Amino acid sequence: MTQITLQSIQKNYAGSVQVIRDVDLDIAAGEFCVFLGPSGCGKSTLLRMIAGIESITAGDLHIGGVHMNEVPPAEREVAMVFQNYALYPHMSLYENMAFGLRQAKVDKAEIHRRVSEAAEVLQITHMLDRLPKALSGGQRQRVAIGRAIVRRPNVFLFDEPLSNLDAALRVHMRTEIARLHRDFQRASAVYVTHDQTEAMALADKIVLLRAGEGMLTHGSIAQVGAPLDLYHHPRDMFVASFLGSPRMNFLPATVQAVDDHTLTLQTDASAGGERLQLPRQGRRVAAGARVTLGIRPEHLLPGDMGGATLLRTVQQVEHFGEYSYVYLQGLPGEPLIAKVPGRSSALAGDRTPFTVPDPAYHLFDDASFAIAAQ
Ligand SMILES: Nc1ncnc2c1ncn2[C@@H]1O[C@H](COP(=O)(O)OP(=O)(O)OP(=O)(O)O)[C@@H](O)[C@H]1O
Ligand SMILES: [Mg+2]
C-alpha cells in the first residue's frame, strides 16, 4: 500500500514564472486522486514531478514513506499512461505489453503470466497476436494501460489518457478504468484531466488547481475534497464555477437586511434589480455587505412558487430532449441559464418567473470566498 505525500512543492521552469506554488497534499494508499483544472494550471507538471520525469524546484515528495525528490523514475515503482501513448507498430499487442518486462529481465514464464492476466482484465486476450494498426482507438488505449499494469506498479499515473477518444468511447473507458482500480485496490492512482465530468465520475478525491493570478495569490490548490464536497461546498467562486455544467450563475447584490432566519438581498440594477428573501441558514453576513449570489442552473425552477423569484425575459431556449437550457436576461453579455427537466415551454421574448428553491443558493463575499451555511 503506497501513500504519496507532497509538502510545500514548488516548480519554476528555467527563466519562466512559477507554475506550481505551495502544494501540500496527501494521497492515501489505494486512493483514486484526480488533478483537475484549466489548461496551463500545472496538472501535468505536478504529475510528472511525482513520476520523476520533471525536477522538483523546492519542497518534498514522499512515496510510501521514502523521500523521492532525487530518486530516478525507474526506481519509484510508478507507471505512467499518457494521452499520446505510442505503441510499437511492428510488435503484436503481446510484445508491446511484454517489452518493458523483457528489458527488465523478468523471466519468460512470469512475463507470460502477467501479460495474460492483464489481457484478461482488459478483455483483449483474443487479439494479443494482432498489430496495433488493426485496433480501434479504445483498444489501443487498453494496450497502453496494459503496459502499465504488467509492471505491477504501486502507483498508476494517468495524464489525460482518454482525451483522444470520441465521446462514447471515453465514457466506456472511464468505467473500465474505475473497474480496474477496484480490481487493483492496493495501487494508488493519480489521474489528470481538464474534464470535470471525468473527474467527478472517477475520483475519490479531486484536487482542483488554479492558474495565473489566483495561483500566485492563493497557491496552486483551489480546493481538495470528495467530488460532491466540492460541488456542494465550493470554497470560492473559482471552484463554484469550475464544477457543474452549465456553470453556476452569479448575480452581484447588496445585503439589505439580515435577521435570524432571513437574508434580504437586492441584486444590482444591471443584474435584474430584484429584492430576494432567502433563508439565512446561519450565514455570517451583515446588512450593507456587497455579495455575489450563486445559483446553479438546475436550481432555477420555472414558475412562481413563492420565496425567491426572478422575473426575467427569455432570450433563447435549447432543447436536448431530456432537459432544456433556458437563457434568461442576466448581466450584460452573460445570460442566466436555467436547466429545466424535459421540454421547456418557454419561448424567446417571454417574461417569465423562475423560483430558487429554498436552501439551494450560494453566497460569496466581495473577495469571492464562500459565505457558507452553518
Ligand atoms: N518545459 C517547460 N518549460 C517552460 N514552461 C513550461 C514547460 N512545460 C510547461 N510549462 C508551462 O508550465 C505551465 C503548466 O503546464 P502544464 O503542462 O503542467 O499544464 P496543464 O495543467 O497540464 O495544462 P493542459 O491542460 O493544457 O495539459 C504552463 O504555463 C506551461 O506553459
Ligand atoms: Mg497537461
Side-chain angles (χ1 to χ4, degrees):
M1 300 290 267
T2 303
Q3 188 191 14
I4 305 168
T5 313
L6 290 80
Q7 290 165 304
S8 305
I9 294 288
Q10 324 285 338
K11 177 71 188 180
N12 297 57
Y13 282 108
S16 87
V17 291
Q18 191 162 31
V19 295
I20 292 288
R21 190 180 181 94
D22 297 341
V23 168
D24 286 299
L25 185 65
D26 279 327
I27 301 169
E31 191 166 47
F32 201 111
C33 176
V34 175
F35 293 169
L36 177 67
S39 184
C41 70
K43 305 179 293 293
S44 297
T45 300
L46 203 52
L47 192 77
R48 293 161 63 86
M49 287 194 282
I50 296 174
I53 51 183
E54 195 66 72
S55 65
I56 297 172
T57 306
D60 293 294
L61 168 71
H62 289 85
I63 301 179
V66 181
H67 192 255
M68 285 285 168
N69 289 43
E70 308 303 334
V71 175
E75 291 165 32
R76 296 191 182 195
E77 295 187 42
V78 302
M80 190 150 167
V81 182
F82 297 94
Q83 173 181 352
N84 298 311
Y85 42 92
L87 301 179
Y88 301 108
H90 56 286
M91 289 185 195
S92 69
L93 301 200
Y94 185 99
E95 289 304 322
N96 263 285
M97 288 202 278
F99 185 74
L101 298 179
R102 284 205 214 290
Q103 295 240 302
K105 308 256 184 291
V106 176
D107 84 49
K108 213 169 162 187
E110 176 66 10
I111 292 177
H112 186 73
R113 212 168 59 80
R114 291 201 202 173
V115 172
S116 308
E117 190 185 288
E120 199 67 35
V121 172
L122 293 161
Q123 297 163 2
I124 51 174
T125 305
H126 59 292
M127 41 181 113
L128 279 177
D129 54 0
R130 286 198 208 166
L131 293 176
K133 69 176 184 212
L135 299 181
S136 71
Q139 289 164 340
R140 272 181 229 162
Q141 185 61 44
R142 272 186 249 177
V143 179
I145 294 171
R147 278 197 311 206
I149 290 175
V150 294
R151 293 183 45 203
R152 302 267 168 87
N154 290 327
V155 179
F156 283 98
L157 303 174
F158 297 95
D159 194 350
E160 311 238 17
L162 308 184
S163 49
N164 285 347
L165 306 178
D166 70 45
L169 200 48
R170 236 173 21 230
V171 172
H172 177 69
M173 285 305 294
R174 184 175 90 198
T175 58
E176 300 237 318
I177 288 176
R179 180 175 59 80
L180 279 174
H181 181 67
R182 284 194 302 275
D183 291 352
F184 286 83
Q185 276 204 343
R186 58 174 202 93
S188 310
V190 188
Y191 187 102
V192 164
T193 180
H194 62 271
D195 177 345
Q196 49 136 336
T197 314
E198 220 166 87
M200 298 284 287
L202 284 170
D204 295 315
K205 174 149 94 193
I206 293 179
V207 178
L208 180 57
L209 300 169
R210 54 175 131 218
E213 275 302 305
M215 181 268 286
L216 290 175
T217 322
H218 302 292
S220 288
I221 295 186
Q223 192 167 347
V224 177
L228 292 181
D229 214 26
L230 266 62
Y231 188 81
H232 291 299
H233 307 289
R235 207 158 72 183
D236 60 27
M237 285 170 66
F238 170 73
V239 180
S241 62
F242 204 88
L243 293 172
S245 176
R247 61 154 243 202
M248 187 184 283
N249 299 295
F250 293 123
L251 290 170
T254 300
V255 179
Q256 277 207 323
V258 183
D259 68 28
D260 283 354
H261 301 292
T262 308
L263 283 182
T264 309
L265 301 186
Q266 175 80 36
T267 58
D268 289 4
S270 62
E274 57 269 283
R275 200 161 169 271
L276 300 172
Q277 292 208 315
L278 296 156
R280 180 173 171 189
Q281 300 163 321
R283 286 185 176 78
R284 298 204 183 95
V285 63
R290 291 288 298 156
V291 292
T292 300
L293 174 65
I295 307 167
R296 291 212 183 268
E298 64 270 32
H299 293 146
L300 281 171
L301 310 182
D304 181 349
M305 292 167 231
T309 303
L310 307 174
L311 187 62
R312 297 297 176 105
T313 303
V314 174
Q315 293 180 337
Q316 192 183 337
V317 184
E318 293 173 340
H319 298 286
F320 299 101
E322 188 192 344
Y323 52 84
S324 313
Y325 291 166
V326 183
Y327 293 74
L328 304 169
Q329 171 206 348
L331 290 165
E334 208 183 307
L336 299 184
I337 304 180
K339 183 175 178 179
V340 175
R343 184 187 165 80
S344 167
S345 57
L347 295 173
D350 286 355
R351 204 165 157 73
T352 181
F354 281 81
T355 302
V356 184
D358 249 358
Y361 75 99
H362 295 260
L363 201 65
F364 303 92
D365 68 15
D366 57 0
S368 106
F369 287 109
I371 304 172
Q374 301 292 318

